[in-house]
Amino acid sequence: MLPVLALVGRPNVGKSTLFNQLTRSRNALVADLSGLTRDRQYGQGRVEETGFIVIDTGGITGEEAGIDAAMANQSMAAIAEADVVLLLVDGRAGLQPGDEALVAHLRTEGKPFHLVVNKIDGLGEDIAASDFYQLGVEQIHTIAASHNRGVRKLIASVLEPWSSDSEADAADREGAGIRVAIVGRPNVGKSTLVNRLLGEERVVVFDQPGTTRDSVYIDYERRGRQYTLIDTAGVRKRKNVREAVEKFSIVKTLKAIADAQVVVLTLDAHEGIVEQDLHLLGQCIEAGRALVIALNKWDGIEADERDWIRSELRRRLQFIDYADIHFISALHGSGVGKLYGSVHAAHDAATRSLSTPRLTRILEDAVASHPPPIVNGRRVKLRYAHAGGQNPPVVVIHGKQTDALPASYHRYLEKTFRHELALHGTPIRIELRSGDNPYAGKRNKLTQRQVQRRRRLMNHVKKSEKKARQKKRDA
């Protein structure tokens, strides 16, 4: 197994900056703001031949209340599951009571840990570390995470007890199964749904919109199948986004949609479909992601309202009739288990291999049943089709005058291919390509050659006549 490292410490000591340096990514949000990280964030790193897993956590002060208490519980959970803890402290701020409390806790738990003095840029290493020797820690590491100073030396020292035979495990994790993103507006129950799917309190849940700020990637296994679940921040209307942190969260949510293979769009049954839900749905369709709709908080709806909500959903979501709709209660777990069946069907359809002969036969039957229109006195010709990609499935159709094919016929081809191929839960894209005329431009090229030959011939004739006249004068 790969070693697991947990980054813990007080707020704003540079844990997320170090996380990004170790994973060589920007997966953790970084800003000059205390309390930015709230959930556990997992990433993979590698030093030479040794791989490892690193966990970014929220800051701990020992005086947490409300949502901060839930954040502290996440940090404590990360300490419990880590093989070794990197306790970060601020070299500029010096030793703080919170640092002493964390050292005492780690010693009580018997958890191996390394003390890491961060933010030493502009300071001497000895000066920055001098205040922390009173903690009685054997070895103190000094780094400047924002400049990547001392980070490589630190991680090499931490990983020394582990052999370099773990690279196969890292490769296995990279190829982990279906990537499922849970997206939706703030406070629709995304984190509650993630915890219900996992069967544990994995991410912070609090009765406050915008609790989740980062996109959290969680690998797990269920009934022999591998999954990567992505809990994302809620996306609001642009005019309602005022905090800079929330703007970064929205960008990472849209990136998570692009990174996922299946998106579970979570809606609030009490509010129905609003404009922002349709905007998010458009982002999912534009990204070409397989889609499952989850209408959450269904248990709180009166029986006489449910039929109206179902009919309203069918009316407003006609353009994605290929996506399954589930009525669930993430809080109580009703209907949540059925999501897996739709996720599997959508993923299988989105990643299926499509053969050229079958696609061409479907195209021929579609053209025979409903021929393309006549444009400028000539009928648009569609000759053959082949696969052009997966997730979403792409069908490339070759023919003549395909640029003139109307949008209505384009939609007809999409529905025909989706029906014949039984592509459930995923959009399909049709790419039209017109074949080049093999004789195009050759007439002009022949004319140019003839002109060049005639010029050479005329020059030769002129030279011969000139020589003849010269000989005549000489005679």
Side-chain angles (χ1 to χ4, degrees):
M1 296 293 294
L2 296 180
V4 179
L5 318 179
L7 308 180
V8 300
R10 294 181 298 102
N12 208 30
V13 295
K15 297 183 295 298
S16 295
T17 303
L18 179 57
F19 177 91
N20 288 342
Q21 293 287 7
L22 294 177
T23 58
R24 298 182 182 179
S25 69
R26 295 183 180 178
N27 289 338
L29 291 179
V30 176
D32 189 14
L33 176 66
S34 179
L36 183 59
T37 303
R38 288 180 173 172
D39 296 305
R40 282 174 281 168
Q41 171 80 288
Y42 287 70
Q44 291 179 316
R46 178 177 298 276
V47 174
E48 295 180 352
E49 297 181 353
T50 303
F52 59 92
I53 299 169
V54 59
I55 312 173
D56 186 23
T57 66
I60 307 175
T61 63
E63 301 176 353
E64 290 82 9
I67 189 173
D68 292 332
M71 292 160 48
N73 290 335
Q74 290 290 316
S75 299
M76 293 303 176
I79 292 174
E81 66 183 351
D83 295 309
V84 62
V85 173
L86 302 186
L87 174 57
L88 269 74
V89 294
D90 189 335
R92 295 181 179 276
L95 182 63
Q96 301 293 319
D99 301 328
E100 296 177 312
L102 280 171
V103 170
H105 174 76
L106 293 172
R107 283 173 172 160
T108 302
E109 295 293 322
K111 181 67 65 174
F113 71 95
H114 293 253
L115 185 64
V116 182
V117 181
N118 191 23
K119 303 184 181 181
I120 65 165
D121 39 315
L123 299 175
E125 295 185 12
D126 294 336
I127 295 175
S130 60
D131 203 18
F132 298 95
Y133 284 113
Q134 59 184 295
L135 293 174
V137 179
E138 293 183 2
Q139 187 174 6
I140 298 179
H141 305 273
T142 54
I143 67 169
S146 60
H147 297 89
N148 204 23
R149 175 183 168 189
V151 173
R152 188 175 183 84
K153 181 180 178 181
L154 161 69
I155 200 64
S157 176
V158 171
L159 296 177
E160 189 176 356
W162 284 271
S163 66
S164 60
D165 296 332
S166 59
E167 50 189 354
D169 294 316
D172 291 341
R173 285 182 59 84
E174 281 189 10
I178 306 174
R179 296 188 299 277
V180 184
I182 311 297
V183 304
R185 292 181 293 111
N187 213 31
V188 297
K190 298 184 297 299
S191 295
T192 305
L193 177 57
V194 168
N195 288 338
R196 179 62 64 178
L197 290 169
L198 294 171
E200 65 167 330
E201 295 298 316
R202 172 59 182 79
V203 292
V204 173
V205 177
F206 198 72
D207 189 16
Q208 171 184 320
T211 301
T212 303
R213 286 176 170 174
D214 214 341
S215 297
V216 183
Y217 288 65
I218 309 163
D219 294 340
Y220 70 106
E221 181 179 339
R222 178 182 183 270
R223 296 181 181 178
R225 295 193 68 160
Q226 299 289 330
Y227 303 87
T228 297
L229 205 57
I230 311 174
D231 184 22
T232 63
V235 178
R236 298 192 292 171
K237 290 183 179 180
R238 183 176 298 177
K239 68 177 183 179
N240 296 330
V241 178
R242 294 181 174 86
E243 294 186 25
V245 171
E246 191 171 358
K247 294 180 181 179
F248 286 118
S249 299
I250 292 173
V251 171
K252 293 183 73 65
T253 296
L254 299 180
K255 181 181 177 183
I257 291 174
D259 193 31
Q261 294 171 314
V262 182
V263 173
V264 178
L265 179 61
T266 309
L267 310 177
D268 190 330
H270 292 272
E271 300 181 11
I273 303 177
V274 299
E275 181 182 348
Q276 190 62 13
D277 293 325
L278 296 176
H279 174 71
L280 267 174
L281 185 56
Q283 293 288 343
C284 297
I285 296 173
E286 185 177 346
R289 293 297 159 258
L291 187 64
V292 178
I293 307 293
L295 198 69
N296 192 25
K297 307 180 184 180
W298 188 245
D299 54 320
I301 302 297
E302 298 294 334
D304 56 349
E305 296 182 28
R306 294 188 174 186
D307 291 337
W308 180 85
I309 293 175
R310 287 190 178 98
S311 63
E312 186 71 2
L313 279 175
R314 284 193 296 269
R315 181 182 69 84
R316 301 194 67 182
L317 300 181
Q318 290 182 20
F319 61 99
I320 54 162
D321 54 358
Y322 56 83
D324 284 340
I325 301 177
H326 292 268
F327 302 90
I328 68 170
S329 171
L331 183 62
H332 299 100
S334 58
V336 173
K338 296 180 181 179
L339 290 173
Y340 281 103
S342 296
V343 168
H344 295 160
H347 176 263
D348 293 343
T351 58
R352 186 182 308 165
S353 297
L354 305 176
S355 67
T356 298
R358 187 180 182 191
L359 294 177
T360 301
R361 284 196 301 270
I362 294 173
L363 176 63
E364 291 173 347
D365 293 341
V367 170
S369 300
H370 182 40
I374 296 175
V375 178
N376 297 328
R378 296 192 302 174
R379 187 175 299 278
V380 176
K381 294 183 179 180
L382 305 178
R383 300 190 181 278
Y384 69 95
H386 63 84
Q390 295 179 342
N391 196 32
V394 178
V395 178
V396 182
I397 299 176
H398 294 261
K400 284 186 176 182
Q401 299 188 96
T402 57
D403 294 341
L405 203 64
S408 58
Y409 199 87
H410 197 278
R411 291 192 296 270
Y412 162 72
L413 291 175
E414 285 184 359
K415 291 183 177 180
T416 300
F417 276 101
R418 181 181 293 113
H419 177 266
E420 294 297 326
L421 296 170
L423 297 178
H424 187 73
T426 179
I428 183 173
R429 290 179 175 170
I430 304 294
E431 291 186 5
L432 301 172
R433 297 180 184 176
S434 295
D436 295 332
N437 184 351
Y439 299 100
K442 284 196 172 182
R443 180 175 299 176
N444 292 337
K445 291 179 181 179
L446 290 173
T447 302
Q448 291 175 0
R449 293 196 193 100
Q450 290 175 351
V451 169
Q452 291 174 356
R453 290 180 61 185
R454 289 177 180 176
R455 285 178 179 173
R456 288 196 297 269
L457 181 60
M458 292 298 295
N459 290 335
H460 179 71
V461 170
K462 289 180 179 178
K463 288 180 180 179
S464 299
E465 292 178 348
K466 185 176 179 180
K467 289 180 179 180
R469 286 196 298 269
Q470 185 63 34
K471 287 181 179 180
K472 189 175 181 181
R473 283 196 297 269
D474 293 342

